[in-house]
Amino acid sequence: MRLFLVALLTCVWLAPAGRLHAQSYTFQHESLPSLNKKFTIVAHIFRDSLGLALVSETLARQAVEDMNPFFAPIGVSFEICEFRYHDNWQHDVVEDTDEEMPEITTKYNVERRINMYFVTLFADPNNACGLAELGGIGNPTSSFILIRKDCVNTRVFAHEMGHFFSLKHTFEGNGTELVDGSNCTIEGDGICDTPADPYVEGDPLANYVDGNCRFINQQMDTAGNFYNPDLGNIMSYYECNTCGFTWGQLNAMAQAYLASAIKLW
């Protein structure tokens, strides 16, 4: 069974002066692997029933360029090498990803490239902005990233690319990870420098953060400790500052690529 993870739409990613960025974790650990590699993306755009693409190539390229600094600590960057337009409007709305995406990738995937598909809508109970196969980097023949056409922005691209390179959500397990980190290797996202995150997918964000992006949730873990998640982590769902990845997340992505049997060009 292939596991897919999604990203919700986020709109505000301004980092105020003095805010601790998750990226700063990269200076608190041993050296990270440097892959020294630029990955190429083929952007597949399905036209709608009126023949309209509804995706700006300029905005898509800019979103990719702007996410590159988040991956720079492991020597990784991305570029869109080609836009391919498809007139099969029936694929512009994906009603069943489990059934339709294998058909789409069989028809259109370009070998040894990151294949990113843009559609008007795909079925998801939480109205997700993106969908990616967890660890798709290890399965480049049939893996993909799916982006909703109204969600062409840096955070969504970076979030889905994180999934593609094996990262789970920071809130994985919905509160099973303890705040003190004592079970961080087996619960949550399995990465120990991402703080425990109690968010439950589908919950109103107002239950967790206020309008100034301050964490207000008073829920405690099973040991009686209050949560203090990283609101700016790319793999979280909080609509706050986009700060980046932690050292552990960056290392996990690098190791996922190094362990992949088939390397992307």
Side-chain angles (χ1 to χ4, degrees):
M1 179 179 178
R2 299 167 72 186
L3 178 61
F4 300 98
L5 295 175
V6 299
L8 295 183
L9 177 63
T10 49
C11 304
V12 180
W13 311 302
L14 299 178
R19 180 67 66 106
L20 176 65
H21 285 200
Q23 198 79 355
S24 67
Y25 284 117
T26 61
F27 301 106
Q28 300 175 15
H29 296 266
E30 63 194 56
S31 298
L32 286 161
S34 181
L35 303 184
N36 192 28
K37 184 170 181 62
K38 177 176 284 187
F39 294 91
T40 50
I41 298 169
V42 175
H44 300 267
I45 301 173
F46 289 106
R47 293 188 173 93
D48 66 13
S49 58
L50 299 177
L52 302 176
L54 302 177
V55 174
S56 164
E57 291 188 9
T58 300
L59 289 180
R61 289 189 189 278
Q62 190 63 55
V64 170
E65 181 178 339
D66 290 344
M67 81 170 175
N68 281 338
F70 296 129
F71 294 84
I74 54 173
V76 165
S77 64
F78 305 90
E79 66 175 355
I80 297 178
C81 65
E82 182 182 2
F83 286 88
R84 293 192 176 190
Y85 291 85
H86 306 297
D87 292 325
N88 192 340
W89 58 267
Q90 292 178 320
H91 289 321
D92 186 50
V93 175
V94 180
E95 296 181 352
D96 188 329
T97 54
D98 288 338
E99 287 190 6
E100 295 178 53
M101 288 313 300
E103 178 184 352
I104 289 171
T105 56
T106 298
K107 286 182 179 178
Y108 302 113
N109 260 22
V110 179
E111 187 179 4
R112 296 181 184 266
R113 297 284 191 264
I114 297 176
N115 290 273
M116 185 177 286
Y117 291 89
F118 294 85
V119 298
T120 296
L121 188 66
F122 63 89
D124 181 82
N126 295 303
N127 197 32
C129 263
L131 175 72
E133 182 177 356
L134 185 65
I137 188 67
N139 180 32
T141 301
S142 59
S143 59
F144 64 90
I145 294 174
L146 188 63
I147 302 291
R148 228 172 60 203
K149 291 179 179 178
D150 60 343
C151 297
V152 177
N153 61 63
T154 302
R155 184 178 178 107
V156 169
F157 279 27
H159 183 105
E160 295 308 327
M161 199 63 73
H163 287 319
F164 192 81
F165 277 76
S166 83
L167 297 186
K168 298 178 181 179
H169 293 125
T170 56
F171 56 84
E172 199 76 22
N174 303 127
T176 56
E177 182 180 0
L178 296 175
V179 171
D180 65 9
S182 57
N183 64 348
C184 63
T185 60
I186 59 173
E187 297 292 348
D189 61 1
I191 296 176
C192 287
D193 63 0
T194 56
D197 187 343
Y199 179 75
V200 175
E201 190 170 0
D203 277 0
L205 286 176
N207 291 355
Y208 298 89
V209 294
D210 65 15
N212 294 314
C213 275
R214 291 176 297 198
F215 191 71
I216 59 173
N217 190 279
Q218 295 299 301
Q219 179 181 349
M220 293 184 291
D221 68 9
T222 56
N225 295 313
F226 289 103
Y227 289 96
N228 185 28
D230 182 355
L231 303 183
N233 193 284
I234 286 175
M235 303 312 295
S236 77
Y237 266 15
Y238 301 110
E239 295 182 357
C240 295
N241 313 301
T242 298
C243 302
F245 299 108
T246 66
W247 182 94
Q249 288 174 317
L250 288 162
N251 185 55
M253 288 191 287
Q255 297 302 331
Y257 172 73
L258 292 172
S260 61
I262 302 174
K263 298 295 190 284
L264 297 179
W265 292 340

